[in-house]
Amino acid sequence: MDSLLLILFAYLLGSVLFGEHIARAKGVDIRSVGSGNVGATNVGRALGIKYAVLVFLLDTLKGLFPVVLARIYFGIDSWTIVFVGIASVLGHIFPIFHSFKGGKAVATSLGVLLGLSPLASIVCLIIWYAVFKLKGYVSLASLTASASAPLLLFILGYPFKVLLMSFVIVFLVFCRHRDNIARLLEGREHGFKGS
Ligand code: G3P
Protein backbone atom coordinates (compact mmCIF):
# COMPACT_ATOMS: atom_id res chain seq x y z
CA MET A 1 0.00 0.00 0.00
CA ASP A 2 1.22 3.46 -0.90
CA SER A 3 1.55 5.78 2.05
CA LEU A 4 0.66 8.99 0.14
CA LEU A 5 -2.41 7.37 -1.39
CA LEU A 6 -3.60 6.30 2.04
CA ILE A 7 -3.12 9.84 3.40
CA LEU A 8 -5.07 11.22 0.44
CA PHE A 9 -7.80 8.62 0.99
CA ALA A 10 -8.02 9.60 4.67
CA TYR A 11 -8.41 13.27 3.71
CA LEU A 12 -11.06 12.54 1.05
CA LEU A 13 -13.07 10.25 3.33
CA GLY A 14 -12.80 12.85 6.10
CA SER A 15 -14.19 15.39 3.63
CA VAL A 16 -17.51 13.53 3.41
CA LEU A 17 -19.76 15.44 5.81
CA PHE A 18 -22.36 12.85 6.76
CA GLY A 19 -24.19 15.35 8.98
CA GLU A 20 -24.77 17.72 6.10
CA HIS A 21 -25.82 14.95 3.68
CA ILE A 22 -28.20 13.27 6.11
CA ALA A 23 -29.78 16.56 7.20
CA ARG A 24 -30.23 17.59 3.56
CA ALA A 25 -31.86 14.23 2.80
CA LYS A 26 -34.35 15.07 5.57
CA GLY A 27 -34.97 18.52 4.08
CA VAL A 28 -32.91 20.47 6.64
CA ASP A 29 -30.10 22.93 5.98
CA ILE A 30 -27.99 22.03 8.99
CA ARG A 31 -25.91 25.21 8.69
CA SER A 32 -28.95 27.34 9.44
CA VAL A 33 -29.96 25.43 12.58
CA GLY A 34 -28.63 25.76 16.15
CA SER A 35 -24.87 26.27 16.18
CA GLY A 36 -24.72 25.88 12.38
CA ASN A 37 -22.24 23.03 12.82
CA VAL A 38 -22.41 19.92 10.63
CA GLY A 39 -21.70 17.49 13.48
CA ALA A 40 -23.78 14.98 15.38
CA THR A 41 -24.73 17.44 18.15
CA ASN A 42 -26.31 19.91 15.80
CA VAL A 43 -27.94 17.17 13.74
CA GLY A 44 -29.42 16.00 17.05
CA ARG A 45 -30.85 19.50 17.63
CA ALA A 46 -32.39 19.51 14.16
CA LEU A 47 -33.49 15.90 13.70
CA GLY A 48 -33.37 14.17 17.09
CA ILE A 49 -31.15 11.73 18.89
CA LYS A 50 -31.48 8.85 16.37
CA TYR A 51 -29.90 10.92 13.62
CA ALA A 52 -27.31 12.33 16.02
CA VAL A 53 -26.19 8.77 16.82
CA LEU A 54 -26.11 7.85 13.12
CA VAL A 55 -23.94 10.87 12.22
CA PHE A 56 -21.72 10.27 15.24
CA LEU A 57 -21.14 6.63 14.20
CA LEU A 58 -20.44 7.49 10.55
CA ASP A 59 -18.09 10.35 11.47
CA THR A 60 -16.30 8.05 13.92
CA LEU A 61 -15.96 5.29 11.32
CA LYS A 62 -14.47 7.64 8.74
CA GLY A 63 -11.72 8.48 11.23
CA LEU A 64 -11.24 4.88 12.28
CA PHE A 65 -11.00 3.10 8.92
CA PRO A 66 -7.90 4.80 7.40
CA VAL A 67 -6.01 4.59 10.72
CA VAL A 68 -6.72 0.87 10.94
CA LEU A 69 -5.36 0.45 7.39
CA ALA A 70 -2.28 2.53 8.30
CA ARG A 71 -1.75 0.45 11.41
CA ILE A 72 -1.99 -2.84 9.48
CA TYR A 73 0.29 -1.79 6.60
CA PHE A 74 2.75 0.59 8.28
CA GLY A 75 2.56 -0.07 12.02
CA ILE A 76 1.64 2.15 14.93
CA ASP A 77 5.08 3.74 15.23
CA SER A 78 5.12 5.14 11.69
CA TRP A 79 4.89 8.63 10.19
CA THR A 80 2.20 7.28 7.87
CA ILE A 81 -0.21 6.71 10.76
CA VAL A 82 0.55 10.22 12.05
CA PHE A 83 -0.30 11.85 8.71
CA VAL A 84 -3.28 9.56 8.08
CA GLY A 85 -4.86 10.50 11.44
CA ILE A 86 -4.25 14.20 10.91
CA ALA A 87 -5.50 13.98 7.30
CA SER A 88 -8.83 12.47 8.41
CA VAL A 89 -9.36 15.30 10.89
CA LEU A 90 -8.27 17.96 8.37
CA GLY A 91 -10.68 16.43 5.84
CA HIS A 92 -13.58 16.89 8.26
CA ILE A 93 -12.50 20.43 9.17
CA PHE A 94 -11.58 21.59 5.64
CA PRO A 95 -13.60 19.30 3.34
CA ILE A 96 -12.79 19.55 -0.35
CA PHE A 97 -16.38 18.50 -1.20
CA HIS A 98 -17.92 21.32 0.85
CA SER A 99 -15.89 24.42 -0.11
CA PHE A 100 -13.48 23.67 2.76
CA LYS A 101 -16.17 24.59 5.33
CA GLY A 102 -16.34 21.68 7.71
CA GLY A 103 -17.05 20.72 11.28
CA LYS A 104 -15.32 20.45 14.62
CA ALA A 105 -13.99 16.91 14.16
CA VAL A 106 -14.79 15.49 17.59
CA ALA A 107 -16.30 12.20 16.34
CA THR A 108 -13.68 11.86 13.60
CA SER A 109 -10.91 12.38 16.16
CA LEU A 110 -12.51 9.75 18.36
CA GLY A 111 -12.41 7.36 15.39
CA VAL A 112 -8.68 8.05 14.96
CA LEU A 113 -8.13 7.46 18.68
CA LEU A 114 -10.16 4.23 18.52
CA GLY A 115 -7.80 2.94 15.82
CA LEU A 116 -4.85 3.70 18.09
CA SER A 117 -6.17 2.72 21.49
CA PRO A 118 -9.66 1.32 22.19
CA LEU A 119 -8.92 1.65 25.93
CA ALA A 120 -8.10 5.37 25.70
CA SER A 121 -11.24 5.85 23.57
CA ILE A 122 -13.45 4.20 26.17
CA VAL A 123 -11.94 6.34 28.94
CA CYS A 124 -12.49 9.46 26.77
CA LEU A 125 -16.14 8.47 26.25
CA ILE A 126 -16.57 8.03 30.02
CA ILE A 127 -14.98 11.47 30.61
CA TRP A 128 -17.23 12.96 27.91
CA TYR A 129 -20.35 11.47 29.50
CA ALA A 130 -19.38 12.56 33.02
CA VAL A 131 -18.74 16.18 31.96
CA PHE A 132 -21.92 16.27 29.88
CA LYS A 133 -24.00 14.92 32.79
CA LEU A 134 -22.40 17.38 35.23
CA LYS A 135 -22.41 20.53 33.07
CA GLY A 136 -24.91 19.88 30.25
CA TYR A 137 -22.73 21.20 27.42
CA VAL A 138 -21.63 18.92 24.60
CA SER A 139 -18.82 21.29 23.64
CA LEU A 140 -17.33 21.32 27.14
CA ALA A 141 -17.59 17.53 27.31
CA SER A 142 -15.93 17.20 23.87
CA LEU A 143 -13.11 19.61 24.76
CA THR A 144 -12.40 17.88 28.09
CA ALA A 145 -12.47 14.41 26.56
CA SER A 146 -10.26 15.39 23.63
CA ALA A 147 -7.74 17.15 25.89
CA SER A 148 -7.53 13.92 27.92
CA ALA A 149 -6.49 11.84 24.91
CA PRO A 150 -2.76 12.75 24.76
CA LEU A 151 -2.42 12.24 28.50
CA LEU A 152 -4.08 8.82 28.31
CA LEU A 153 -1.90 7.77 25.37
CA PHE A 154 1.17 8.92 27.31
CA ILE A 155 0.12 6.94 30.43
CA LEU A 156 -0.54 3.88 28.25
CA GLY A 157 3.00 4.10 26.84
CA TYR A 158 2.25 4.93 23.20
CA PRO A 159 5.17 6.02 20.98
CA PHE A 160 6.20 9.66 20.64
CA LYS A 161 4.79 9.90 17.08
CA VAL A 162 1.34 8.90 18.30
CA LEU A 163 1.52 11.48 21.11
CA LEU A 164 2.56 14.14 18.61
CA MET A 165 -0.39 13.26 16.37
CA SER A 166 -2.79 13.45 19.28
CA PHE A 167 -1.46 16.90 20.31
CA VAL A 168 -1.91 18.20 16.75
CA ILE A 169 -5.47 16.82 16.63
CA VAL A 170 -6.35 18.32 20.03
CA PHE A 171 -4.97 21.66 18.84
CA LEU A 172 -7.17 21.51 15.71
CA VAL A 173 -10.25 20.50 17.72
CA PHE A 174 -9.71 23.37 20.17
CA CYS A 175 -9.21 25.88 17.32
CA ARG A 176 -12.52 24.74 15.81
CA HIS A 177 -14.25 25.22 19.16
CA ARG A 178 -13.08 28.81 19.66
CA ASP A 179 -16.65 30.17 19.35
CA ASN A 180 -17.89 27.50 21.77
CA ILE A 181 -15.08 28.39 24.20
CA ALA A 182 -16.04 32.08 24.01
CA ARG A 183 -19.72 31.21 24.60
CA LEU A 184 -18.83 28.90 27.51
CA LEU A 185 -16.78 31.68 29.13
CA GLU A 186 -19.62 34.16 28.65
CA GLY A 187 -22.23 31.67 29.93
CA ARG A 188 -24.24 31.64 26.70
CA GLU A 189 -23.30 28.27 25.16
CA HIS A 190 -26.04 26.30 23.35
CA GLY A 191 -27.52 23.37 25.24
CA PHE A 192 -28.02 20.03 23.49
CA LYS A 193 -31.67 20.77 22.72
CA GLY A 194 -31.71 24.53 22.53
CA SER A 195 -30.34 26.67 19.75
O1 G3P B 1 -18.86 17.93 18.52
C1 G3P B 1 -19.16 19.28 18.42
C2 G3P B 1 -19.53 19.76 19.78
O2 G3P B 1 -18.41 19.73 20.61
C3 G3P B 1 -20.12 21.13 19.77
O3 G3P B 1 -21.17 21.19 18.84
O4 G3P B 1 -23.09 22.19 17.72
O5 G3P B 1 -22.71 22.64 20.16
O6 G3P B 1 -21.20 23.65 18.45
P1 G3P B 1 -22.08 22.48 18.78
Side-chain angles (χ1 to χ4, degrees):
M1 170 146 329
D2 187 275
S3 156
L4 275 180
L5 271 182
L6 185 55
I7 294 165
L8 181 65
F9 170 68
Y11 171 75
L12 292 176
L13 187 60
S15 290
V16 179
L17 298 183
F18 291 108
E20 181 156 332
H21 291 303
I22 289 170
R24 191 177 303 140
K26 297 292 293 176
V28 172
D29 172 14
I30 195 63
R31 296 184 193 259
S32 63
V33 178
S35 66
N37 191 39
V38 294
T41 307
N42 210 33
V43 169
R45 289 188 190 106
L47 298 174
I49 188 76
K50 252 184 3 199
Y51 288 96
V53 171
L54 178 64
V55 171
F56 173 76
L57 288 178
L58 289 170
D59 280 350
T60 302
L61 283 176
K62 79 178 183 184
L64 172 66
F65 184 51
V67 164
V68 168
L69 288 180
R71 193 168 178 166
I72 292 170
Y73 287 100
F74 299 94
I76 195 149
D77 194 6
S78 67
W79 286 110
T80 303
I81 206 166
V82 172
F83 288 113
V84 162
I86 294 171
S88 291
V89 170
L90 284 176
H92 185 85
I93 294 176
F94 303 109
I96 193 165
F97 307 129
H98 299 265
S99 313
F100 302 99
K101 292 186 182 113
K104 298 177 183 174
V106 174
T108 306
S109 306
L110 178 69
V112 172
L113 184 63
L114 191 59
L116 300 168
S117 168
L119 179 58
S121 310
I122 290 166
V123 177
C124 279
L125 280 173
I126 294 169
I127 292 171
W128 185 96
Y129 184 73
V131 175
F132 180 63
K133 274 283 149 197
L134 280 173
K135 298 289 178 185
Y137 297 116
V138 175
S139 56
L140 186 62
S142 302
L143 288 165
T144 314
S146 76
S148 314
L151 184 65
L152 291 166
L153 291 168
F154 174 72
I155 292 169
L156 293 168
Y158 277 80
F160 169 77
K161 289 182 190 119
V162 168
L163 298 183
L164 183 68
M165 174 192 358
S166 70
F167 273 116
V168 172
I169 291 176
V170 171
F171 174 75
L172 292 168
V173 168
F174 268 67
C175 286
R176 294 303 282 186
H177 280 78
R178 57 191 184 283
D179 292 346
N180 300 84
I181 292 168
R183 285 196 296 269
L184 282 165
L185 292 173
E186 292 161 10
R188 50 184 190 85
E189 175 59 311
H190 307 295
F192 180 64
K193 289 187 177 141
S195 61

